[in-house]
Amino acid sequence: MHTSWVTWTAKVWSLIVIPLEMKTSRVSTLACPMNVVDIEAAEEQVAEETVIEEDDIEKDGYEFQKEDIVLLWVAESLIPQAESEKRMEELTKKYFDDLLSRSFFQRSRNEKFTMHDLINDLAMSMSRESCLRWEGGESHEVLKRVRHLSYARGQFDCAAKFEPLYEVKHLRTFLPLRREWHRHYVSKRVLHELVPSLLCLRVLKLSKYGNIVELPNSIGNLIHLRYLDLSDTAIKRLPSTVCTLYSLQTLLLSYCSSLIELPADMRKLINLRHLDCSGTQIEEMPVQIGRLKSLRTLTTFVVGKSTGSTIDELGELSHLGGRISILKLNNVVDGRDALQANLKNKKDLKELELAWGSEDPDHSEKVRYVLDKLQPCMNLERLTIKLYGGTSFPNWLGDSALNKIKVMRLEGCHYCFELPPLGQLPTLNCHYCFKLPPLGQLPTLKELFVCNMKFLRTLGPELYGQPFQPFQSLERLEFKEMSKWEEWVPSGSGGPDFPRLQELILEKCPKLRGSLPCDLPCLKKLSVEGCGVLHDQRATATTSTSTNLNYNSLRELKIEDGCQTGLLSLLEAKLLSQLMIRNFYDIQCLPNINRLQSLNLWNCPTLSSFPEDGLPTSVGGMKTGRPVSRFSSYQGPDFRQVSEAMRKLALSSYLLERLSLSSGCGVLHDELEIWTNV
């Protein structure tokens, strides 16, 4: 392996992914008020009470995301200059993938990565002169040479902790790593004295410090700063001096829920490539944001009403990619401005949200015209439309050329009387729609969520589409808050309507009667809540189809809030292992469920007995609350038969006069709980 490549690899990883997550078994006993703003008064007590010793530190692989590492590498200029600056992030991702293919990284959970211990040791040994994973106690000579520093956040990071860093004159990276606490607090002196003195900083990360409400004006002294992360802090405004950080490439403000505006001179940050202000309260974008022509990421664009940027300025940002939410589209005055946003030619966009701030049925034609002119590129994978006030959708929304759409959400489109032929994974929330489009024809549809269609009464042939077996790939189906829905008609195709469905959820469909689909061979999880008149096939006298339910794969069953007894036939499913029945008034006894592992019963006042032979030996836990109000003497399950598996038992004392357990209950060494209902 080439020596320079090894050196580069070690340098990269020692700088960016310090693969040590600091954890302590002893932490401060000082209470942490959530409204802490200034923690100086607590410094002395915290310093005395917080004890972190060498033996308390555990080394775990630090988990990181690819996107975060790419931005840090770019900020540190670790990647050789690309032929075109437009390709900088793309080239960096290729370097990352190359290291991954060589097993320098390992895939972790939730699309995250870790670094192998041996590679970490190699990187640290080759970069120990300039990189430091700071634990305190390092000599002055060591600190003087440090260029890149990481440390473990404490719950309270007081000024005394950072005192040695005032001697570090050439620090380029200030990178706190996460701790177990969800909220952290840092001394004001660190922000107002230490940080502005680190004049060579390229990377400054202050995320998750919950008491940061402002930055000092002296932040403008950090003229070399390229990466500033303030995400998940309480900051309300950025000082105007931030706009003098002309080298800034990345500004992260996500989930700063108190942030209400951006500085007026943001247009001066001509090198800014990534601006994430998702989850903020920003009311409009500053004027002339279209001058930030280097932007690759702009997660949120709020259309101004009388001041701020208008939507046509998006047309100047030709390199936008990733995801963007365009909010307050009701402020668009002229639909031709929407056309100038030029979304159709932004080929790197993958996720798009279009949201109106209010509904106005009197201007439905203008609203439809605006949406028509916001047609996205064909590479889009996710599309969300919220509070759309038009009475119909534009033609492009059903265009088959949108063949990469994986997720579509239509929420609160109250005035639409018809829906387009949707792409993959749609979510429907359209109050005035009377029928669904032929979603069964979509060959790759895996999840379907239908919500709040107040006027839909029947699901029938229009849902399944042409006369062939529908929903070939659907795995998850959910209906919620369908107040008028009464009938679910099968397709009549001769085979299963949902051959691969694994999860079915019905919630708050109070008028749905008749039967569920009778043939769901792959269904593993069924949840029915608030469907008071729903019967299965066996309880439906009007059905002409077979009464046999093919739910042979069912493993989890939840029945809640007034469902009919016809559903109880599903208790006979051979593979059923988890059962929850709540607020059910028509069950008298439980059958013998051979594979049952978990049982949860709540408010079932007519339940009077368990199986005569007791619960199966596979049951590992049972919870009851107000279920057995007619049991004046509750013998419960026969614990002589479940002693090997039962680990947890929780019982309510509601109307319970006597509890008798056999000697076999001695194995309940994990948990035995009896509580009183108030």
Side-chain angles (χ1 to χ4, degrees):
M1 187 179 295
H2 198 277
T3 303
S4 62
W5 192 90
V6 174
T7 303
W8 174 84
T9 303
K11 178 183 178 184
V12 164
W13 278 103
S14 60
L15 299 185
I16 307 306
V17 184
I18 311 295
L20 173 65
E21 186 171 2
M22 309 280 285
K23 298 182 180 179
T24 61
S25 59
R26 282 181 279 176
V27 298
S28 171
T29 59
L30 181 66
C32 174
M34 294 306 295
N35 60 348
V36 171
V37 175
D38 187 354
I39 63 170
E40 302 300 331
E43 287 187 7
E44 184 175 351
Q45 182 178 357
V46 172
E48 293 176 356
E49 294 187 1
T50 302
V51 180
I52 302 178
E53 297 180 353
E54 188 71 24
D55 293 340
D56 294 325
I57 297 174
E58 300 173 359
K59 295 185 178 181
D60 288 324
Y62 181 76
E63 290 185 329
F64 52 90
Q65 293 182 315
K66 178 178 179 179
E67 293 74 15
D68 296 336
I69 297 305
V70 166
L71 295 181
L72 288 168
W73 285 0
V74 170
E76 294 284 6
S77 300
L78 298 179
I79 305 301
Q81 187 67 35
E83 296 177 2
S84 170
E85 284 197 4
K86 294 188 296 184
R87 298 184 60 250
M88 190 182 301
E89 287 81 5
E90 181 182 344
L91 180 61
T92 305
K93 290 178 181 178
K94 289 182 178 179
Y95 271 80
F96 184 97
D97 292 338
D98 186 46
L99 290 172
L100 178 63
S101 68
R102 297 169 186 261
S103 300
F104 276 62
F105 315 142
Q106 297 173 327
R107 293 188 182 275
S108 184
R109 55 186 178 178
N110 299 327
E111 299 183 355
K112 293 183 179 181
F113 300 86
T114 59
M115 189 177 187
H116 194 280
D117 290 343
L118 294 177
I119 302 300
N120 172 49
D121 293 342
L122 172 64
M124 294 303 296
S125 66
M126 297 184 68
S127 59
R128 58 179 176 266
E129 291 293 321
S130 60
C131 302
L132 177 64
R133 194 163 50 218
W134 190 37
E135 300 173 6
E138 287 78 10
S139 68
H140 173 73
E141 289 300 318
V142 171
L143 289 175
K144 188 168 63 174
R145 295 191 299 267
V146 169
R147 298 294 181 268
H148 309 280
L149 178 140
S150 71
Y151 66 93
R153 290 189 191 95
Q155 187 175 13
F156 297 97
D157 282 340
C158 304
K161 174 177 179 177
F162 299 93
E163 200 68 35
L165 297 185
Y166 284 89
E167 302 298 324
V168 182
K169 299 300 182 182
H170 302 286
L171 195 66
R172 294 170 56 118
T173 305
F174 188 88
L175 189 67
L177 302 180
R178 69 177 182 270
R179 292 286 285 267
E180 294 177 346
W181 298 291
H182 294 291
R183 277 292 179 184
H184 310 268
Y185 301 87
V186 65
S187 167
K188 279 188 174 182
R189 289 179 56 195
V190 174
L191 295 177
H192 289 263
E193 298 177 12
L194 174 61
V195 168
S197 71
L198 302 174
L199 299 179
C200 296
L201 274 184
R202 266 70 166 172
V203 171
L204 175 59
K205 186 179 179 72
L206 296 170
S207 61
K208 295 188 181 299
Y209 279 121
N211 65 313
I212 295 181
V213 296
E214 62 179 4
L215 289 181
N217 289 328
S218 54
I219 195 73
N221 297 338
L222 306 181
I223 60 175
H224 301 291
L225 195 64
R226 299 175 182 175
Y227 179 102
L228 177 58
D229 185 359
L230 297 168
S231 57
D232 205 9
T233 64
I235 196 161
K236 297 179 179 179
R237 289 180 176 85
L238 296 175
S240 59
T241 52
V242 165
C243 299
T244 64
L245 301 175
Y246 302 123
S247 297
L248 196 63
Q249 298 174 342
T250 298
L251 178 57
L252 304 180
L253 303 168
S254 61
Y255 303 105
C256 294
S257 57
S258 299
L259 185 65
I260 59 175
E261 64 180 6
L262 293 173
D265 290 333
M266 286 286 290
R267 64 185 182 277
K268 296 181 179 180
L269 298 177
I270 57 175
N271 289 307
L272 193 64
R273 303 173 71 88
H274 306 280
L275 175 58
D276 186 349
C277 47
S278 55
T280 66
Q281 299 298 318
I282 293 174
E283 297 180 356
E284 62 182 15
M285 307 307 289
V287 295
Q288 297 183 346
I289 199 169
R291 293 178 61 177
L292 303 180
K293 299 184 185 298
S294 296
L295 272 181
R296 268 65 183 165
T297 302
L298 178 61
T299 59
T300 305
F301 184 95
V302 187
V303 180
K305 188 171 185 179
S306 56
T307 60
S309 288
T310 54
I311 193 171
D312 59 314
E313 293 202 37
L314 285 173
E316 301 294 326
L317 307 177
S318 57
H319 304 304
L320 284 182
R323 59 186 173 93
I324 183 173
S325 296
I326 306 177
L327 310 180
K328 295 190 178 181
L329 284 167
N330 47 293
N331 290 335
V332 175
V333 177
D334 191 334
R336 289 172 292 186
D337 292 341
L339 179 62
Q340 293 180 26
N342 198 23
L343 296 185
K344 191 173 183 178
N345 290 325
K346 299 189 190 312
K347 301 186 183 302
D348 293 327
L349 272 182
K350 302 299 181 184
E351 302 181 23
L352 173 64
E353 176 184 348
L354 302 172
W356 281 255
S358 61
E359 305 163 19
D360 189 354
D362 295 332
H363 294 85
S364 61
E365 286 301 318
K366 187 194 82 169
V367 172
R368 187 188 187 282
Y369 185 73
V370 169
L371 182 58
D372 185 40
K373 300 308 177 185
L374 291 175
Q375 179 177 352
C377 66
M378 298 297 111
N379 293 328
L380 201 69
E381 296 178 359
R382 297 177 63 103
L383 174 64
T384 299
I385 300 176
K386 293 183 177 180
L387 294 176
Y388 171 63
T391 56
S392 63
F393 287 101
N395 294 332
W396 64 259
L397 197 57
D399 193 339
S400 60
L402 285 171
N403 55 11
K404 294 185 180 180
I405 287 284
K406 296 179 179 179
V407 178
M408 183 180 292
R409 302 181 66 92
L410 305 178
E411 302 181 19
C413 305
H414 298 319
Y415 299 99
C416 290
F417 285 84
E418 60 180 17
L419 289 175
L422 299 177
Q424 296 180 348
L425 302 181
T427 295
L428 308 177
N429 188 344
C430 307
H431 289 179
Y432 289 86
C433 294
F434 289 87
K435 63 180 181 179
L436 288 171
L439 301 176
Q441 300 181 66
L442 302 176
T444 57
L445 183 65
K446 290 189 175 182
E447 296 185 20
L448 174 60
F449 176 50
V450 182
C451 177
N452 215 358
M453 292 188 66
K454 292 184 177 180
F455 288 88
L456 185 142
R457 295 181 181 275
T458 302
L459 283 182
E462 77 285 346
L463 173 67
Y464 304 105
Q466 299 176 0
F468 66 93
Q469 195 171 65
F471 293 109
Q472 288 294 301
S473 302
L474 193 69
E475 296 178 356
R476 189 175 190 273
L477 178 59
E478 185 170 357
F479 293 100
K480 281 189 175 183
E481 299 180 13
M482 309 283 282
S483 59
K484 301 290 185 181
W485 184 25
E486 297 179 357
E487 189 177 16
W488 193 347
V489 180
S491 69
S493 64
D497 291 336
F498 305 94
R500 290 182 173 82
L501 190 67
Q502 297 183 21
E503 183 175 358
L504 174 60
I505 299 174
L506 301 174
E507 184 176 321
K508 296 181 181 178
C509 305
K511 294 187 177 182
L512 180 60
R513 60 181 68 250
S515 63
L516 295 173
C518 64
D519 195 3
L520 300 176
C522 296
L523 190 69
K524 295 180 180 179
K525 183 176 181 179
L526 173 63
S527 176
V528 182
E529 177 182 347
C531 303
V533 295
L534 179 65
H535 293 248
D536 66 26
Q537 289 280 6
R538 298 182 183 186
T540 305
T542 59
T543 182
S544 59
T545 58
S546 171
T547 59
N548 292 324
L549 286 175
N550 181 8
Y551 288 11
N552 293 333
S553 299
L554 188 65
R555 289 170 169 79
E556 299 181 33
L557 176 61
K558 175 183 176 182
I559 304 174
E560 187 169 356
D561 292 337
C563 298
Q564 292 295 307
T565 56
L567 289 172
L568 296 180
S569 64
L570 296 175
L571 299 181
E572 301 174 9
K574 295 180 179 180
L575 300 180
L576 189 64
S577 60
Q578 298 185 41
L579 175 62
M580 175 186 289
I581 303 178
R582 299 169 65 92
N583 302 325
F584 200 92
Y585 301 97
D586 293 309
I587 182 172
Q588 296 182 358
C589 64
L590 286 179
N592 195 340
I593 307 172
N594 293 328
R595 295 176 180 264
L596 192 64
Q597 297 177 5
S598 174
L599 176 62
N600 189 324
L601 303 172
W602 188 278
N603 196 22
C604 302
T606 60
L607 181 64
S608 58
S609 67
F610 285 104
E612 183 176 347
D613 296 332
L615 294 176
T617 57
S618 58
V619 174
M622 186 178 79
K623 181 177 182 179
T624 68
R626 299 186 63 184
V628 286
S629 59
R630 293 188 179 182
F631 288 3
S632 59
S633 178
Y634 175 45
Q635 297 291 334
D638 186 347
F639 285 99
R640 290 171 297 182
Q641 296 190 20
V642 300
S643 59
E644 293 301 321
M646 184 71 75
R647 289 294 180 266
K648 294 184 179 181
L649 174 64
L651 300 174
S652 168
S653 63
Y654 180 75
L655 294 182
L656 181 64
E657 296 180 359
R658 182 168 62 91
L659 174 65
S660 176
L661 303 176
S662 72
S663 59
C665 68
V667 298
L668 290 171
H669 50 73
D670 282 4
E671 182 178 341
L672 173 60
E673 178 182 352
I674 301 177
W675 72 92
T676 302
N677 291 76
V678 179

